[in-house]
Structures are given as structure tokens and as C-alpha cells.
Amino acid sequence: MALDSRTVSVAAREAAAEAPRRGRWSAAGVRRVAGKLGGLALTLFLASLLVFFSRFLVPGDPVSFLLRGRKPSPEAVAQVTAQYGLDLPPWQQYLNWLGGALTGDFGRSLQYRQDVSTVIGERLPVTLMLVVMSGLLIAIVGLSAGVVAALNKGRPLDRLTLIGLTVLSAIPSFVGSIVLIAIFAVQLGWFPTFGSGQGFGDMVYHLVLPSIALAIVFVVLVGKVTRSSMVEQLGREHVEVATSRGLKRATVIRRHVFRNALGPILTVSGVLVAGLLVASTIVEAAFGLAGIGSLLVQSVDRLDFPVVQAIVMLVVTAFVVVNAIVDLAEPWIDPRSAAGASAR
Amino acid sequence: MTTPTPTLAVKVLRAPRAHRTSLVFAIACGVVAVMTLAAVFAPFVAPYPPDAVDFTAVNAGPSAAHWLGTDGLGRDLLSRLVYGARTALLGPLLVVIGSTIIGMLLGLLAGWRGGWIDAVLGRVFDVLFAFPSLLLAIMAVALFGKGLVAPVIAMSIAYAPFVARLTRALVKAERTRPYVAAYRVQGFGGAWIAFRRVLPNVTPIVGAQSTLNFGYVLAELAGLSFLGLGVQPPTPDWGAMINEAQSGVAGGYFLPAIVPAVAVVLVVVAVNIIGEELSDRIGGGVPA
Amino acid sequence: MSQLLDIDGLTLELHDGTRLLDGISLSVAPGETVGLVGESGSGKSLTARTVLGLVPERSRLGGRVRLDGREVIGAPARDILDLRRHAAAMIFQDPRAGINPMRTIGDHLTETLRRCEGKSAAEARARAIELLADVQLPRPEEHFDQYPHEFSGGMLQRVMIAGALTSSPKLLICDEPTTALDVTTQAEIVRVLVELRERRGMGMLFITHDLNLAASLCDRVVVMSRGRIEESGDARRVFTAPEADYTRRLIEATPSIAVRSLDGGVEPDASSRADASGRMDASALAGPMLEVRGLDKQYQLRGRPPVHAVVEAELEIPRGGSLGVVGESGSGKSTLARLIVGLEAADRGEVRVAGRERGAAPHGRAERLAHAKSVQMVFQDPYLSLDPRIPAGRAIQDVLRLHGGLDRAAAEARALELLEAVGLGERHLAARPKTLSGGQRQRVAIARALAIEPDLLVMDEATSALDVSVQAQVLDLVARLREERGLTVLFISHDLGVVRRVCERAVVMRRGEIVEQGPSDRLLREPEHPYTRLLVDSVPRPSWEVAA
């Protein structure tokens, strides 16, 4: 179904130019936002199905699955059955779980004998702090590396940056953690090797090395996207036009190159958040931090499935919500996307 | 209306400068080849069996007997490294093959047919994208138990949407090219054009991306073993070796952790260089 | 008289030693318009860009470029900025690429005023709106806050012109400013440019590949080829009595709508050739080769009014005849072609080729092959219409084996015959598209279409991506094939001159409707429909002929 794209685009442009100016909150804009929010809800709904019903992929009865590695005493069996409503039909179990999840009730942890939400709530601050510190690091280092490389495209500085990024991209967070611990904690003794400290300042101090280890791979991601997006814009004719009009190079770079290169960078940032949350499992394990990442690993290790489910759902939600925000922000970056005209 | 064709001035002003990376590329290929051979012929290459214990040398440094030293149990690090290459390379290989086959077929289907098939598959990909690959692998372990099998299957599924979305975008772009219309006008059938002409045309770019994926998967599977959720001791594995060596690091014994760490970094760097060079040579960017 | 722009012995070499410009000398006086003409790759745009200091990185310049009395080559960055801000401005080829899509029209216009001249926002806005009115945009106040994607190409080019004028330049450099536009839009833009030139007394350096356009508005022209100047002088002299061989060839290759040609005789056109062959009369008895009746196609777009791409089209081509379809972008001429070759299905109406119904999109293998045997198509862009992975010979063999069931050896022999028929040879059998030039690719595409021996050949803008000299060769090839094989051709083009050269008859399309049809010469000489007249009048013609 190949439309004659020229016919259509010409007609569309003529219509657009004739039509009176639309505001950003036009009917079309509202419809777009509503559509995105609908998509967000649908994606989350499908993801929750996957998270919940994955349990049913495991052969065998659900009680013995939940009680793996624990003594299946008749009392325990009865308690678990009642608590999770395992005697109910699957869809009703799902609705109960979903209803609870929507109100922040993810059931009880088998291991801690506490509400899952309480267990997670205690661990969340460390992880959030780690993600925020890492995010700042990534933004600063990644953006500047990308910008510097792009502006020196083809010169030694660019090549050096690219080589640096390629090497960094091959340092997974567990390798980064071990190396940072070995050098800065054990050998030089500048930073602690373990734990997240007490109070805000101490926490920041404890999280310096972990946030660096976490940031490494993502710095590369942001750096490379920034560079290629900037390089692409630098080659655009509108940049040449701006130059030909006598604007200073710095002005051209700022107003036309960097500004226009923001789209892909923003998109990558959306993916970053979930990536950081997941990768924090490894860093938290390496540095002995009590965050939700290490909680996830422990829960898998100790067969505490309700906690696993809750954390997975939390990360997935974070990913979907952040991406929806990025999506919604796009018209502010690229006015063409608001009009529904295809970008580029 | 004439399509504006880039004039000489434009081409000269915007030509991407070709740079010579062939030496680096050759070295990278060499590293991967050596690692692969070592993994395949591990029993002939390794000086000791991977779990042979030398009580006279615990946490020992490099020596004539143990070129890379030994770990906290007195096992030869070089031998464990060589045997560990087997799981380290096999896992990512399976994931890349699996995800590429699934992803290319689904991507071709979505991009070529369009319409509701595309919409449904797009929604499925969106949902799967919300599960980062490592998270899906961890969930698979939680469900099916530790080891390599569950994570490899989970990661194949997690990476398939990336391949599929790339393939879909490329196929969609190819489909609007006049050469496809020309085949139609000549009387060729849709399936023939899709499989015999369009698919081979997009394969190099997808292949380059899959090569890059190999590096990411290797790092993630090693990370899973590092968390103690992947390959289980005593099977030698790079990630597991680092995990076991962690306590030693705090005590100042770096080598047992550094040796497998360097191996991971080396292979991933090499694979990334190969992947990037391939996509540079093909010169096909991802159509936005 | 002191020159506004004086280029003397300009050379440009890339860092690897490739010489792109070699000894360029030209000058522009205040108020004078100088045309810089040549085919793609001649270095004309590069020459113009050096005037504003826009040169490739790490290139070496030689010679002198004096702009408004000041030397450009080797000037410090501050002086270059000053020259760009006050002495000269440039209009680029593709306004859609040339204006930042993420900023408003107003931002584009006021940017330099505010950032270079230090004007206040209100002052800059007032000036911008004044300029938008100067380039005759309908609602300047409203346009100020609009984004480029809301504009058509012609409107955007006016914005680009207004943007260049913010600096009140003494020299305006126009780099193919109308190439991306339709002919009627081109005429409007040229009118705006000419009026502004008169009013402001600007000098103009006008770069174009279109000799007719150059002849219509330049006082003097400079002809360039491969980085050198072939000839320069008074426009009328160069075009009527060219001295250089290159110029002469270029002029001969340029299709013209004027019925008079260079040597004063009648330019050989399609109708005279077809009459001479005498084949038409014999075959005309068997009924028309192509018959299109009441063909109609609408596109439904979500949230927009439907686009009526083809409205009740009626066409007929006799066996061995040729029909041109002329129209601007959006006229539906390409959709018409796609309907006829079966790439899309019409909503209503019928298409008959050699008496057989070919209106529906083909289903099933037998129908597909039968349809392909009836109609073949040559596409616009030879760079995209050949599969990049498949060598030329193989592309033709695939078709032969699909249709003829030939064995490998027979198919290879036949492929070679076909390549030879279009002026290629054995060495092109194994050539991949990227190693072929644009003209060679289009020959391969033609050979591939002929392999099936179709009843009808549709050529959709088949020469518009090519340089004029290559276009002339391809058109000659089509003429020869028609004579040798009695080929029936439907030729779709935006270019009246080209259509006249190929086709006895033509139809004019506008917004999906066929507004007029008749013999090509008659359409050009005595257009009846106002739109046809507008189209014909929009084609640039030498200023001395208009005056005469």
C-alpha cells in the first residue's frame, strides 16, 4: 500500500499552510496525549500479565513452587494457599494480585515474613540515590564526550574519545566494581569497600565508587548517541545556511546543532533509567549495598518469588513511565512530531 | 519536480572521512579467534584440569608452574580461564543465533506485511522492551532455577525485539524503494521479493548489529554468573570466577579476580570493534 | 567600474591533492546578474561557496577572491563574519533542508538581526514581517510563528530569500534556488528575485544547471565543467553563438519548448520521426495499445480530507505511439502511472492494454506474469530502482528466466543482446549498480524492462534525475528503440521540453484531472486551457526572445 507520497505530502502541506495556526494544546495534541497514555496503560497491563502468569509456565503445582526449598509442612501449605488464593481460578488470582499491586500491596515476603512493600520500601532509597548519582555522572561525562568528539570529528581528539568509549563500553559493571574496589578502596583506601553509610553525606561518599561502576557502560551509550546525532546535524544544510549568514560558530553549534541533536539523546535517556535499575543489581552485590537490586538477587537465591515479582513489575513500570514521558516531551523538541508529520 | 541531487560541493563538504582501522580490526579478529580456539581445544591447551588443586600454591602469583598464578583454592588460573571460555562464548553465541533468527523473521513479517500484523507485533515488542534483558534473565532463573539454560532462552527472547525492530525499520525502508516496485512490475511474487531480495539486502546491517549484541550478551551472562545466578561452581566460568575471587580482593589478592575480568573486557572490546567496523563498512545507518 | 565580486585564478585542492577548482576567474558588477552554469560535479556550487568562506575542511585555496573590495582568501575569521553579515548572502537549493525544521520561521528571520546586529526583539520582528511581505507571502504576521513543515517548498524558498535579505546584501548568491520546485513555482520565485534585484540594485551570482533559466535572467554567463571555466561572456552571445565545444554540446542537449532551434531549422522532434517511420498507420487499425477509461483514485488519510489523486482519467495511445503526461508535483501523474502498471488498484475505471483488461492489481502468479508482459515501467531514480546487490546481467536474466523459462546459458546470451541494444556491453554484465553511472543505470533499467517485450512501456520521470547531456543520450536511445521495435511509450514528465522531444501527443494534468490533451506541438504553441498556458509561460526562455 504505497501511497504516492509526493501527492499526499504536497496536499497535506498546502492544507497545513492554509489552516489557521494551531496551538500546542489543540484537539490533535490532546488526542495524541490520550493515545500515548492509552498505549502506556496497555503496555503495563500486558507486562503485568507476563509477570504474573510466568509462574504458570513452571510445571508442577503452585504451592510446591512457592515453597521450594522450604519445609512443606501442612500448616505452611495451608497458609500459602490461603494467602495467595491458590485454590482460586488463575484469572481471579491475577485480579487479586493486580488489585493489590495497584494499591501498593504486593503480598508478603516468604523470606522476611513482612509485607513485600515494606521490604522494598526500606531498600529503595539506596538504589534511587545510586541511580541519581550515576545519572548525573552519565549526563555530564557522556554529553561532554559526545560533544567534544563531534566538534573535532576526524581529528585526533575525536579518535581518542572514540577509542576511550570503545574500551569503556567493554567494562561491564562487575568488572568496573572489582577494579575500582581493588584500586581506590583496598589499595589506596580512599573509599569504603562495603555498605551505604549513615546519613546523606556519608551515603554520597559511600556511593561514589558504585555510581562510577554503574555509569561506565551508560556513559558510552550517551556519548556515542550524542556524537552521532551531533555529527548528523553538523552535516545538515541548515547549519551551512546559518553559517553563511554570519552567525558565530558557537551560536550555530548551540542553536542549530546541539538543539536539533537533542531528540535521539532524550530517547536514549528513556532507556537508561530501566537499564540503571537493572544493572544496579550487580553493583549493589559487588559493593554490598542494601538496595532493591541486591534484594532481587537475594530473593531469587532464597526462592522468594513474591518479592521478585514485585521488583520486576516496579522496574518495568519505571521503564514504561519514563519512556512515555520522553515520548510526550517530543513535540517540545521537534515540532514536526506534534503535527503528525513524519520527522526527518 | 526534480529531486535535488547532492552536488559536488555538497558531497565534498559532507563526505565522511574514511579512516584506516584495518590493523585494529585484524587484532580484534585475532583475539576472538584465539579465544574460540582455546575454548574448543581446552583440554589440549590448558596445562591442568580446571579443578585440579595445588595445595602448595594458594593465591600464588605468576610462576613457571602457574603462568597466571592460582586462586584461593590453589587452582590454576590459566586453566580455569581456558575452560571458562567455553561457557563464556557458547552462551552469547546461542543467544545471538536465537535472537537473530526470531527477530529477523518477525521483523520481516511486520515490516513487509504492515497493517494489523505490524501493529500487533509492535505492541508485543513494546512490552518485551519494557523488560531489560538482564531482568528477564533473572526472572527466568527465579522461575526455572540457576544455570545457563533458562537465562539463554530468556535473553534470546529479550534480544529478539531489538533485532526485529531494526529489521522491520530496514525492511519498511527497502519496501518503499523503487527497486522493489520494479520487481513487482516485472511480475515477481511478494514472498520471492521479501525472502530472496529484501532479506539478503538487510542481512549485513542486522548481522553487524547482532555482532555488537554478542558483546553485550557476553557481559550480561558473565554478570549473571557473577551474581551467582548463572553458571554454577565448580564449572569454570569467568563471571563465577570473579564472584569466587571477591572475598580475596578485600584481602589484597587481586589476580584471581583481575584475570577473568581482563578476559571479559578483551573479548567484549574485540567483538565491539569487529561489530563497529562491520557496520562502518556496510555504511548502512539505521533509518530513523 | 569597480567590481562587487572579483574572482581571479581561484584554485581549490583537497588535503589529498584532488583539484576541484582550477583557475576560476569571474566578476560581478553592482546591479549585474551573472549566471554560473554547468552540469553536476562541475564545481559551480563550490566556487560560489568560497565567496562566503564556506570551504571543505583542510582544503587549500589559491588565487584571489575579492568581495566588496576585500580579500576573502586567508582573511581572519572576524572579517569573514563581517562579509557574511553585510556584503553577500546566499540562497540554497533545497529550502526544506536549508531552514532549521525545529525553529519557527520568525526565528530564522530574526536570528541574525538579534544576534549579529543587536536589534531588539520588536525591531527584528517588524523587519522580518516587512521582508516576508516583500517576498509576497500572504500572511506575514501569521507565518512568523509557524514552523517550516507547515509550508510548501515554494513558500519556504521565499522565506529563505527573505532570510538572505535581512542583511541587505550587496551581492546575492543563488545556488540552484528553484531546482527543487515546480515550474510555475519557479516562475514565481524568479519573478520575486528579479523584482528585488531591480529595487535594491543588488549584484547577483546565479548558479543553475538549467540553460534556459540562465538565459532568461542573466546579463552574462560563465560555463563551467569539471572545475574549469569553458567559456564566459554576454549571455546572448554564449547561447546563440557558443565558442567552446562543451557549451555547444550542452545547448544541443538541452530540451527546449521553443519550436525554433539553434541553426534556425526545425529541431527534429517526436512527431516528425514517428511520421517518417510510417509504422503507425499500419498498426493503428488494430485498435489502441493503451485505453484508459474513467480511471479514478482517492487516498483516505486519517484526520485529513481525502486526496483525489486521479479523477476520471481518459487516455488512449495507438500501437507504436507515444503519449506524454505533463504535470507538476501533486498532479497525480505518478499515481496514474502506478495504476496503469498495477502497483496500485484504482477505485473505478478500466485500463486496457492491447485490448486486455489490466485495471485490477494482479493476484496469483499467472495474472502477475500476464500483467508484466503487458506493461513495463522505467522509474525516476536509477540509483534506487536497481537492486544494489544484483549485477546488471543477473537482473536481466532473472526477468528472462521468470518469464521465458530460458536456461542459464540462453538467458545470459539474451541479457547480453539486450545490454548491447541499449548501448552497453559485455563488461557491464557483472557490474553492480554502484559501479555504474546514472545514465548507465537507466540503460540497464530500460534493458530490463524490454526483456519481457512488453506491449507498453511506462517511463515515470525517467530522465529527470540525470544531467542534460546524459538525458539527451537516454532520450535518443528511447527514440531509437521506438523506431526499431515499434515500442508504445507512456512518458511521464514535469518537463515540457522533454515531453515534446519524445511524444507526438501529450496530456496535461492538474490536481488529478486531465485538463487538456492534444499533439505536443499544438499544446506548446496554442495552449487552450489556462493552466496549460500558465505552464508553458512559466518555462523560462531567453530574455532576447521574449523581448523580440
Side-chain angles (χ1 to χ4, degrees), chain A residues 82-217:
Chain A
Q83 195 181 334
Y84 292 95
L86 296 178
D87 44 357
L88 298 172
W91 63 269
Q92 211 154 3
Q93 292 182 36
Y94 169 73
L95 287 184
N96 288 344
W97 177 77
L98 185 68
L102 287 175
T103 55
D105 172 14
F106 284 93
R108 282 181 77 80
S109 158
L110 296 170
Q111 181 196 347
Y112 293 93
R113 313 225 156 253
Q114 278 178 306
D115 281 347
V116 172
S117 47
T118 315
V119 177
I120 291 178
E122 281 168 11
R123 309 285 199 109
L124 207 52
V126 175
T127 303
L128 287 183
M129 190 69 193
L130 182 62
V131 167
V132 167
M133 283 175 66
S134 237
L136 284 175
L137 207 63
I138 293 163
I140 296 166
V141 180
L143 283 179
S144 21
V147 169
V148 165
L151 295 184
N152 293 285
K153 182 168 178 280
R155 301 211 192 93
L157 196 55
D158 176 35
R159 235 165 281 168
L160 204 69
T161 314
L162 278 181
I163 291 170
L165 289 180
T166 303
V167 171
L168 284 185
S169 76
I171 302 183
S173 43
F174 59 95
V175 171
S177 302
I178 292 290
V179 172
L180 288 173
I181 290 175
I183 298 174
F184 294 101
V186 177
Q187 202 74 328
L188 297 171
W190 292 352
F191 293 97
T193 57
F194 195 84
S196 54
Q198 303 290 322
F200 184 78
D202 196 34
M203 193 165 162
V204 170
Y205 173 60
H206 273 79
L207 291 181
V208 170
L209 290 186
S211 61
I212 296 174
L214 187 56
I216 297 173
V217 174

Side-chain angles (χ1 to χ4, degrees), chain A residues 40-54 94 97-98 309 312-313 315-317 320, chain B residues 123-124 126-131 136 139:
Chain A
L40 171 127
L42 182 59
T43 306
L44 278 180
F45 167 67
L46 293 173
S48 74
L49 287 180
L50 188 63
V51 169
F52 183 80
F53 285 103
S54 64
Y94 169 73
W97 177 77
L98 185 68
Q309 262 181 337
V312 169
M313 206 54 225
V315 174
V316 169
T317 308
V320 175
Chain B
R123 180 58 62 188
V124 172
D126 274 353
V127 173
L128 284 177
F129 269 122
F131 292 83
L136 207 62
M139 204 166 102

Side-chain angles (χ1 to χ4, degrees), chain C residues 284-311:
Chain C
L285 300 170
M289 186 61 100
L290 173 71
E291 223 183 327
V292 172
R293 296 282 169 249
L295 202 63
D296 208 271
K297 177 75 181 174
Q298 275 200 20
Y299 291 117
Q300 301 292 341
L301 296 170
R302 233 183 348 171
R304 297 208 185 108
V307 176
H308 210 153
V310 176
V311 186

Side-chain angles (χ1 to χ4, degrees), chain C residues 21 38 103 119 137 195 212 232 250 285 293 324 342 395 406 524:
Chain C
L21 297 178
R103 293 191 176 275
K119 294 244 169 39
L137 277 169
E195 193 216 294
N212 292 322
S232 61
L250 206 57
L285 300 170
R293 296 282 169 249
L406 298 178
L524 287 175

Side-chain angles (χ1 to χ4, degrees), chain C residues 516-530:
Chain C
E516 187 170 2
Q517 52 181 313
S520 315
D521 271 348
R522 206 270 300 153
L523 284 181
L524 287 175
R525 220 171 311 157
E526 297 141 10
E528 280 166 10
H529 192 278

Side-chain angles (χ1 to χ4, degrees), chain C residues 123-135:
Chain C
E123 270 179 299
R125 185 189 159 91
R127 176 94 178 101
I129 286 173
E130 203 178 290
L131 283 166
L132 285 175
D134 274 0
V135 294

Side-chain angles (χ1 to χ4, degrees), chain C residues 316-489:
Chain C
E316 215 179 278
I317 314 180
R319 285 169 194 264
S322 65
L323 179 74
V325 179
V326 186
E328 298 185 291
S329 57
S331 64
K333 58 189 194 305
S334 283
T335 306
L336 181 66
R338 297 176 69 88
L339 292 173
I340 291 173
V341 298
L343 280 171
E344 278 175 63
D347 298 334
R348 275 195 312 282
E350 57 181 54
V351 176
R352 301 182 82 80
V353 181
R356 284 181 288 267
E357 173 57 41
R358 292 285 180 249
H363 290 290
R365 185 181 158 87
E367 258 183 61
R368 276 202 317 267
L369 294 185
H371 202 291
K373 203 111 185 74
S374 289
V375 205
Q376 278 300 300
M377 176 149 160
V378 178
F379 292 81
Q380 168 170 9
D381 192 337
Y383 293 85
L384 298 176
S385 64
L386 298 179
D387 190 333
R389 209 168 42 86
I390 307 295
R394 173 86 186 285
I396 299 172
Q397 285 173 45
D398 279 346
V399 185
L400 286 169
R401 295 176 69 184
L402 177 71
H403 284 270
L406 298 178
D407 63 34
R408 188 173 287 273
E412 199 172 320
R414 180 87 182 101
L416 182 57
E417 272 175 48
L418 284 161
L419 280 180
E420 280 167 351
V422 295
L424 299 174
E426 198 168 352
R427 68 202 163 86
H428 298 110
L429 272 176
R432 301 230 172 172
K434 74 165 177 237
T435 63
L436 299 172
S437 70
Q440 286 172 331
R441 290 179 205 214
Q442 210 56 312
R443 285 168 194 267
V444 173
I446 292 171
R448 187 178 59 178
L450 293 179
I452 305 177
E453 296 178 355
D455 296 326
L456 172 69
L457 183 64
V458 176
M459 303 188 78
D460 184 8
E461 297 275 11
T463 59
S464 51
L466 305 173
D467 271 326
V468 276
S469 57
V470 182
Q471 165 172 285
Q473 290 163 14
V474 173
L475 293 179
D476 283 346
L477 171 67
V478 173
R480 203 188 79 221
L481 291 170
R482 287 192 56 207
E483 234 166 282
E484 287 171 9
R485 299 169 178 243
L487 200 62
T488 311
V489 177

